[in-house]
């Protein structure tokens, strides 16, 4: 009943958004504020293929987690692992490589020394302290981080100088979802601060294997604080939570207790000179994970007794220290950026027991030091044309039985920018190191395979035309990936593939502005790939897209988006995801919203399965939604 009423309200909002487009002095001011100096725009275009979600976009869409943002990224499909964690393009036994997608909060990477990307942790956490989000596709500039990525998400926290307020909010939703949060911000003559606190109970739809309940529920508390003046910024973040591990590792999917407790702490300092020509930073991160899995059948074969076991307990501590220094030299037409960074990452298996028997580690590999040097040179031929060249090298110094490695990357770019047209092209070649957990697994299993870095070469180009009230863009990409890391079922370990993977991708977007407050976006993308003669499904193609409508009518905001993603043949299935949000802003101080996810229940679904290695019996849980069909109701009040 509740969802039916919400659907009717959503359809009415779609009609009203076209019947009453508005043009006001606020709209004209908003439009004027978006214009900037042409040469500065040209320089920024060199960072990569950029997709921006403004504060207004996030507010109108009522974005509540990063997983919703991933829906907008071409060529990616949001999904969750068998443990219920955020892993785009998840497939069983497929290595999850952080080089595919990295996430930054302000200028620091959300990083896991063991897993690589911390998206698995942050993908479903709260977003009320985020101001805006930038997405860079096509192997963006090296200045973004130590270890490269094909796609980078940069989320920026709210600016205390802009906020100058205290806000509290809360929401409730389907499956027992509840959240309370608040922040306060204040600025003085030479100092400002922002402090945020959130507690979220993220209830999820339950699935069942007979009498065994499979849960993806999560609970988290998140504290974040920022202190800054004109030159220095200090950030602190602490997160504590627990989660149910969904399908887990039980051969027959018969969990009795399947839970993870975790904590995360970060502190960092950054400096930027008045002219931004000198930048420096120091960062420290530590996380702890405690996982317990008890099942009614078996989880695996003990590496100590070689007998099946049904009780597994693991405690892991991860630490990361990062140092960064950067200097830019520039004149009217040229700039040269030189940078160096050192990152020490360490993961410690505090304890690992199966059926209460200690399992020792034997590889001695529990950390590495990454030293990086990079440069980026740009030449402005004129205000409309820019050439750029970037180069980077990384040295991985690993302990234990893990091998050291030297990585290289080069990026060449050209940008043409006039008021109506923008054309930018990049040639890119780079190495991507295997994640620590892949190397650790191989070493502990005495795998015959020694993992080395993947190598990617790509040519990308995008042309954009801007009319009076619309923007059209078309992106092409051609890439080749060598030494791709895959799972070897024979040795039950990871190896580098002997086949190169060639991929052609195209994405088009049309954005139409009825006025500064009402917009419609259309996106469509497709990929076609050759995965090599040794692949069982050599030739593959995927496609998808979305339609998004953002509207403001008086005190009402409306957001309606429908996303189509063609899933993998196994385990993802194709589907439509229809999300909608309605916000009523009674005043500057008080607002109330209603947000619906996957309202028609047709979003991508995934089949999960585990196999008994002794009998080859396969147990499956089918048609699991990556986005639960649910409705959330919330409010915010500013003092």
């Amino acid at each position: 009943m509740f969802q039916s009423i919400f659907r009717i309200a959503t359809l009415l909002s779609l009609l009203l958004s076209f019947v009453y487009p508005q043009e006001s002095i606020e709209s004209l001011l908003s439009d004027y504020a978006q214009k900037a100096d042409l040469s500065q725009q040209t320089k920024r275009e060199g960072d990569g293929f950029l997709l921006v979600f403004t504060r207004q976009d996030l507010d109108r869409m009522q974005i509540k987690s990063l997983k919703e943002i991933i829906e907008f990224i071409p060529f990616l499909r949001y999904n969750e692992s068998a443990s219920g964690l955020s892993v785009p393009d998840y497939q069983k036994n497929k290595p999850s490589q952080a080089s595919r997608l990295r996430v930054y909060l302000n200028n620091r990477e959300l990083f896991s020394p063991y897993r690589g990307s911390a998206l698995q942790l942050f993908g479903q956490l709260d977003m009320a302290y985020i101001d805006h989000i930038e997405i860079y596709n096509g192997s963006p500039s090296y200045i973004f981080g130590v270890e490269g990525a094909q796609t980078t998400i940069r989320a920026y926290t709210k600016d205390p100088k802009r906020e100058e307020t205290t806000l509290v909010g809360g929401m409730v939703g389907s499956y027992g979802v509840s959240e309370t949060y608040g922040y306060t911000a204040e600025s003085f003559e030479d100092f400002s601060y922002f402090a945020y606190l959130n507690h979220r109970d993220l209830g999820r739809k339950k699935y069942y294997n007979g009498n065994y309940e499979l849960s993806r529920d999560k609970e988290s508390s998140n504290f974040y604080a920022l202190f800054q003046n004109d030159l220095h910024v200090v950030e602190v973040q602490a997160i504590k939570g627990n989660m149910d591990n969904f399908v887990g590792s039980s051969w027959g999917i018969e969990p009795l207790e399947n839970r993870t407790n975790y904590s995360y702490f970060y502190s960092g300092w950054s400096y930027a000179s008045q002219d931004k020509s000198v930048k420096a930073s120091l960062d420290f991160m530590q996380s702890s994970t405690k996982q317990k899995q008890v099942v009614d059948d078996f989880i695996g074969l003990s590496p100590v007794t070689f007998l099946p076991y049904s009780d597994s307990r693991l405690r892991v501590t991860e630490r990361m220290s990062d140092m960064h220094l950067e200097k830019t030299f520039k004149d009217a037409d040229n700039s040269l950026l030189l940078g160096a960074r050192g990152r020490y990452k360490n993961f410690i298996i505090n304890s690992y027991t199966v059926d209460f028997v200690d399992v020792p580690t034997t590889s001695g590999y529990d950390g590495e030091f990454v030293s990086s040097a990079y440069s980026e040179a740009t030449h402005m031929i004129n205000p409309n044309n820019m050439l750029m060249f970037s180069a980077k090298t990384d040295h991985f110094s690993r302990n234990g039985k893990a091998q050291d490695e030297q990585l290289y990357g080069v990026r060449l770019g050209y940008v043409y920018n006039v008021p109506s047209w923008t054309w930018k092209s990049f040639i890119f070649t780079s190495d991507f190191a295997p994640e620590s957990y892949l190397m650790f697994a191989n070493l502990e299993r005495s795998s015959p395979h020694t993992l080395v870095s993947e190598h990617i070469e790509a040519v990308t180009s995008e042309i954009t035309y801007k009319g009076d009230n619309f923007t059209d863009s078309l992106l092409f990409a051609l890439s080749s990936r060598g030494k791709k890391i895959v799972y070897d079922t024979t040795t039950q370990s990871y190896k580098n593939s002997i086949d190169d993977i060639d991929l052609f991708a195209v994405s088009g977007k049309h954005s139409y502005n009825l006025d500064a407050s009402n917009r419609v976006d259309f996106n469509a993308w497709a990929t076609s790939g050759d995965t090599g003669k040794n692949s069982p499904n050599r030739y593959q193609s995927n496609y998808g897209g979305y339609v998004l409508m953002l509207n403001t009518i008086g005190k009402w905001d409306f957001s309606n988006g429908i996303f189509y993603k063609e899933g993998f043949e196994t385990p993802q299935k194709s589907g439509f995801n229809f999300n909608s949000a309605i916000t009523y802003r009674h005043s500057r101080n008080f607002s109330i919203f209603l947000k619906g996810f996957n309202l028609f229940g047709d979003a991508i679904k995934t089949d999960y399965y585990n196999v008994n290695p002794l009998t080859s019996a396969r147990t499956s849980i089918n048609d699991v939604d990556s986005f639960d069909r649910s409705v959330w109701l919330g409010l915010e009040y500013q003092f």
Side-chain angles (χ1 to χ4, degrees):
M1 177 67 177
F2 189 38
Q3 291 182 336
S4 297
I5 295 174
F6 186 66
R7 289 186 194 176
I8 295 172
T10 297
L11 293 175
L12 287 175
S13 77
L14 293 174
L15 294 174
L16 288 170
S17 65
F18 283 106
V19 175
Y20 298 106
Q22 295 186 342
E23 184 79 14
S24 64
I25 187 65
E26 289 82 3
S27 298
L28 294 174
L29 290 172
S30 176
D31 181 62
Y32 176 78
Q34 294 174 9
K35 301 184 183 297
D37 177 72
L38 182 60
S39 63
Q40 292 302 314
Q41 289 183 17
T42 303
K43 293 176 182 177
R44 192 182 185 196
E45 294 290 349
D47 291 339
F49 304 111
L50 177 62
L51 175 63
V52 178
F53 293 94
T54 66
R55 171 77 168 268
Q56 186 183 40
D57 293 338
L58 298 179
D59 286 348
R60 290 197 287 184
M61 290 189 289
Q62 291 295 337
I63 296 295
K64 300 302 178 186
S65 62
L66 277 175
K67 63 183 285 186
E68 299 173 57
I69 292 296
I70 294 175
E71 284 282 88
F72 290 92
I73 302 177
F75 322 126
L76 270 183
R77 284 161 292 277
Y78 176 79
N79 203 7
E80 294 172 0
S81 69
S83 298
L85 300 172
S86 298
V87 180
D89 294 344
Y90 166 79
Q91 286 182 295
K92 187 177 178 66
N93 293 326
K94 175 185 176 182
S96 173
Q97 285 284 73
S99 60
R100 186 71 176 92
L101 174 66
R102 293 191 185 274
V103 182
Y104 288 75
L105 185 63
N106 296 327
N107 293 313
R108 49 117 173 175
E109 183 182 355
L110 301 179
F111 184 77
S112 165
Y114 185 62
R115 288 283 177 181
S117 173
L119 177 65
Q120 296 186 21
L121 169 62
F122 283 85
Q124 298 172 59
L125 288 182
D126 46 290
M127 292 272 290
Y129 61 120
I130 300 302
D131 181 82
H132 66 283
I133 293 175
E134 298 175 350
I135 299 174
Y136 294 88
N137 276 310
S139 300
S141 172
Y142 291 132
I143 65 175
F144 286 161
V146 176
E147 299 171 66
Q150 295 171 270
T151 300
T152 298
I153 297 177
R154 295 181 69 89
Y156 293 89
T157 56
K158 292 176 177 176
D159 185 351
K161 293 182 179 180
R162 177 181 174 181
E163 298 300 315
E164 287 277 11
T165 189
T166 296
L167 179 145
V168 294
M171 66 181 183
V172 294
S174 308
Y175 307 114
V177 167
S178 66
E179 182 175 35
T180 56
Y181 57 89
Y183 65 77
T184 183
E186 192 171 1
S187 64
F188 306 93
E189 184 175 346
D190 58 355
F191 169 78
S192 61
Y193 74 89
F194 175 86
Y196 167 82
L197 184 62
N198 173 287
H199 181 80
R200 168 178 282 191
D201 283 307
L202 185 62
R204 301 292 301 275
K205 179 181 178 180
K206 305 297 187 297
Y207 292 84
Y208 293 88
N209 178 34
N211 294 324
Y212 298 98
E213 181 182 85
L214 309 177
S215 171
R216 293 179 287 178
D217 288 356
K218 297 173 177 62
E219 181 182 7
S220 62
S221 297
N222 182 6
F223 169 77
Y224 172 82
L226 178 148
F227 309 90
Q228 66 181 18
N229 60 21
D230 291 339
L231 301 179
H232 304 271
V233 176
V234 174
E235 295 178 88
V236 177
Q237 185 166 26
I239 302 171
K240 189 172 184 179
N242 58 77
M243 63 184 76
D244 295 332
N245 295 327
F246 197 42
V247 171
S249 305
S250 166
W251 289 351
I253 311 184
E254 299 177 356
L256 297 176
E257 187 174 357
N258 196 5
R259 197 166 185 79
T260 296
N261 295 280
Y262 64 89
S263 63
Y264 171 95
F265 174 79
Y266 164 83
S267 64
W269 162 85
S270 62
Y271 165 84
S273 61
Q274 290 284 5
D275 60 359
K276 309 301 181 185
S277 65
V278 177
K279 295 181 180 180
S281 65
L282 294 172
D283 300 282
F284 173 79
M285 183 279 293
Q286 176 171 307
S287 67
S288 298
T289 303
K290 183 179 179 181
Q291 185 181 78
K292 180 180 180 180
Q293 190 171 188
V294 182
V295 304
D296 222 2
D297 57 344
F298 298 108
I299 299 170
L301 298 177
S302 169
V304 178
T305 65
F306 304 104
L307 298 174
Y309 63 91
S310 57
D311 186 300
S312 171
R313 305 180 190 217
L314 174 67
R315 289 196 305 114
V316 179
T317 299
E318 301 177 63
R319 296 186 182 94
M320 184 275 292
S321 300
D322 188 280
M323 302 166 290
H324 166 238
L325 180 63
E326 189 176 283
K327 170 65 177 176
T328 301
F329 306 89
K330 62 174 60 178
D331 57 27
D333 299 321
N334 304 282
S335 71
L336 174 63
L337 181 148
L338 301 175
R341 189 183 292 262
R343 171 180 288 173
Y344 176 71
K345 44 187 180 178
N346 171 250
F347 56 92
I348 301 172
I349 309 299
N350 301 110
S351 66
Y352 177 39
T353 65
V354 296
D355 283 347
F356 307 101
V357 176
D358 288 332
V359 178
T361 59
T362 59
S363 66
Y365 171 55
D366 61 7
E368 55 190 33
F369 181 79
V370 185
S371 54
S372 301
Y374 59 92
S375 65
E376 181 170 281
T378 62
H379 172 63
M380 298 294 297
I381 302 171
N382 54 47
N384 309 112
N385 293 269
M386 182 179 72
L387 291 173
M388 59 186 304
F389 174 80
S390 305
K392 183 167 78 82
T393 182
D394 306 302
H395 181 75
F396 285 73
S397 178
R398 302 180 173 111
N399 64 6
K401 298 179 182 179
Q403 294 185 356
D404 295 352
E405 197 168 7
Q406 189 80 29
L407 278 59
Y408 300 94
V410 173
R411 182 175 181 262
L412 178 66
Y414 168 74
V415 177
Y416 170 74
N417 187 38
V418 294
S420 295
W421 290 93
T422 300
W423 174 46
K424 49 187 173 182
S425 298
F426 302 97
I427 299 174
F428 171 84
T429 177
S430 188
D431 301 318
F432 294 91
E435 305 304 339
S436 296
Y437 82 95
L438 299 174
M439 300 183 63
F440 180 78
N442 270 18
L443 292 170
E444 291 297 319
R445 296 170 186 172
S446 299
S447 168
H449 306 301
T450 299
L451 294 179
V452 297
S453 61
E454 298 182 345
H455 182 78
I456 297 178
E457 298 175 350
V459 178
T460 54
S461 186
E462 182 186 56
I463 187 167
T464 301
Y465 177 75
K466 299 177 183 178
D468 291 337
N469 59 351
F470 69 92
T471 301
D472 289 327
S473 63
L474 189 61
L475 168 68
F476 297 94
L478 183 63
S479 68
S480 178
R481 179 190 291 252
K483 304 176 184 176
K484 177 179 172 62
I485 297 176
V486 297
Y487 185 73
D488 181 11
T489 55
T490 303
T491 62
Q492 295 186 0
S493 62
Y494 301 98
K495 68 177 183 178
N496 294 96
S497 173
I498 61 175
D499 288 323
D500 289 345
I501 298 176
D502 299 321
L503 182 70
F504 174 74
V506 60
S507 176
K509 183 180 178 182
H510 172 74
S511 183
Y512 179 74
N513 296 289
L514 284 77
D515 54 44
S517 300
N518 298 276
R519 189 179 88 231
V520 183
D521 293 340
F522 302 89
N523 169 258
W525 58 266
T527 65
S528 178
D530 179 357
T531 59
K533 62 182 180 181
N534 295 298
S535 173
N537 300 304
R538 178 172 181 177
Y539 299 102
Q540 299 181 10
S541 61
N542 297 104
Y543 54 89
Y546 65 85
V547 179
L548 173 69
M549 299 175 61
L550 296 174
N551 309 103
T552 298
I553 302 172
K555 295 183 177 182
W556 294 86
D557 289 340
F558 302 95
S559 169
N560 296 280
I562 186 165
F563 305 82
Y564 177 77
K565 299 286 178 83
E566 185 184 60
F568 289 107
E569 193 172 313
T570 301
Q572 282 188 327
K573 303 175 182 179
S574 304
F576 286 93
N577 184 14
F578 179 59
N579 298 333
S580 187
I582 301 174
T583 306
Y584 174 67
R585 305 190 185 282
H586 177 265
S587 65
R588 180 185 178 277
N589 302 95
F590 179 74
S591 64
I592 186 170
F593 74 87
L594 195 62
K595 174 73 179 277
F597 301 89
N598 188 20
L599 287 174
F600 297 143
D602 293 324
I604 281 181
K605 299 179 186 296
T606 302
D607 295 341
Y608 297 90
Y609 68 91
N610 285 340
V611 177
N612 185 325
L614 302 180
T615 65
S616 298
R618 175 168 165 162
T619 305
S620 300
I621 302 297
N622 298 326
D623 295 330
V624 176
D625 290 317
S626 55
F627 284 84
D628 292 333
R629 187 182 182 188
S630 58
V631 176
W632 294 2
L633 173 67
L635 56 84
E636 287 186 347
Y637 183 81
Q638 289 189 47
F639 294 92

